[in-house]
Amino acid sequence: MSERLAIAGSGAIACGLAAVAATQGHVAVFARSEGSCDKAGAKVRALCERMGASVNGNVVISRDPAVLEGATFVIEAIAEDPAAKAELFRRLGDHLADDAVLATTTSSLPIGELALASGRPDRFVGLHVFNPVPKMDLIELAFPDAATEVTRGRARALCVALGKTAVEVPDTPGFVVNRLLFPFLFDAVRLMERTGLDAEAVDTCMRLGAGHPMGPLALLDLVGLDVSAAIGRTIGADVPTRIQELIAEGALGRKTGRGFHSY
């Protein structure tokens, strides 16, 4: 991998990216608390073990943003909150080299707006990876209008280095996958509510009848119901009442142990 990669974040996407990148070379991870550092370190090691690889000292995790210095390609991977992302971009600004490319893993927010908030729209890219990162081959690449050809080429090359298939998509809410996927997932929730079917029945029908690797309600749990609702609002889809009720109960899916299913 020709880029010196750094990742800002410590959640599932950040750890998945770090684990994949660690098989190719050195990667730095900026986590925003000591507890996040410990959890991220354990998660990255576990993911590498599942891939049959070893961290081998290739991952450095720190709560000091100085860990990003020297990186040539920095990927932001925090919550889907434009204000939080803009604040992180401001915080990172003093630690990034002038020619470093800054990327975001947003799944639905406008790339053009985030690029402006970053202060470096010519060296900015949307790099939408999918969870679980080690298993999912696709990256949706979305560029702001100001992105240079050099930036675009480096982003494409990074995707290849990570062993992913990049598809360039328009900067439209939800890009391609989420724009098509979430109305379907939400319709599965409404069907369940309307018919009285339980979540397992709906998911089994779609797994065995449509060949889906995971049923729609289990997929919502995997994504996180809070994240799913945020994506729905961004793409203008009507978020089902049941999802909103579960969020209010703190049942966000796999990460909390309960959503449409129990874990």
Side-chain angles (χ1 to χ4, degrees):
M1 184 165 58
S2 60
E3 301 283 1
R4 295 191 300 278
L5 186 64
I7 298 164
S10 57
I13 294 295
C15 290
L17 270 171
V20 170
T23 66
Q24 304 299 318
H26 182 271
V27 58
V29 178
F30 168 52
R32 290 179 290 178
S33 71
E34 203 61 49
S36 295
C37 288
D38 294 340
K39 290 178 182 176
K43 180 68 171 176
V44 171
R45 285 192 296 273
L47 288 171
C48 285
E49 287 172 5
R50 286 182 207 164
M51 291 188 290
S54 173
V55 174
N56 285 333
N58 277 352
V59 182
V60 175
I61 302 174
S62 174
R63 60 179 297 190
D64 184 351
V67 74
L68 304 175
E69 293 175 359
T72 60
F73 207 113
V74 179
I75 303 174
E76 167 272 310
I78 65 170
E80 288 287 80
D81 180 336
K85 289 181 186 294
E87 175 58 33
L88 179 62
F89 296 153
R90 284 191 289 271
R91 187 176 180 189
L92 300 183
D94 293 338
H95 300 279
L96 301 184
D98 289 342
D99 61 348
V101 172
L102 181 59
T104 178
T105 61
T106 184
S107 59
S108 57
L109 297 174
I111 298 302
E113 293 179 14
L114 293 176
L116 290 175
S118 76
R120 52 177 68 211
D122 57 327
R123 296 182 302 285
F124 193 89
V125 58
L127 202 77
H128 180 210
V129 297
F130 292 80
N131 193 32
V133 181
K135 293 183 178 180
M136 301 296 282
D137 289 334
L138 177 66
I139 292 181
E140 289 183 314
L141 270 181
F143 295 105
D145 291 340
T148 66
E149 284 305 317
V150 171
T151 297
R152 294 167 191 258
R154 288 171 64 183
R156 296 181 193 112
L158 179 67
C159 294
V160 172
L162 294 174
K164 304 300 184 184
T165 298
V167 176
E168 294 185 35
V169 297
D171 181 13
T172 189
F175 308 130
V176 173
V177 173
N178 285 346
R179 186 84 177 187
L180 298 177
L181 178 62
F182 275 86
F184 157 68
L185 298 181
F186 293 163
D187 202 35
V189 177
R190 284 187 281 267
L191 176 68
M192 183 186 70
E193 293 177 315
R194 188 167 63 248
T195 63
L197 282 169
D198 62 24
E200 186 58 40
V202 173
D203 282 350
T204 299
C205 285
M206 294 310 296
R207 282 191 296 105
L208 302 185
H212 291 191
M214 180 181 293
L217 304 172
L219 181 53
L220 285 166
D221 282 350
L222 177 64
V223 172
L225 301 188
D226 53 339
V227 175
S228 298
I231 292 171
R233 289 190 292 270
T234 300
I235 67 174
D238 185 24
V239 179
T241 301
R242 184 56 184 148
I243 289 180
Q244 297 171 0
E245 291 171 346
L246 287 168
I247 292 171
E249 295 169 13
L252 305 181
R254 285 196 183 192
K255 59 188 173 185
T256 60
R258 182 171 73 90
F260 287 103
H261 300 273
S262 294
Y263 301 89

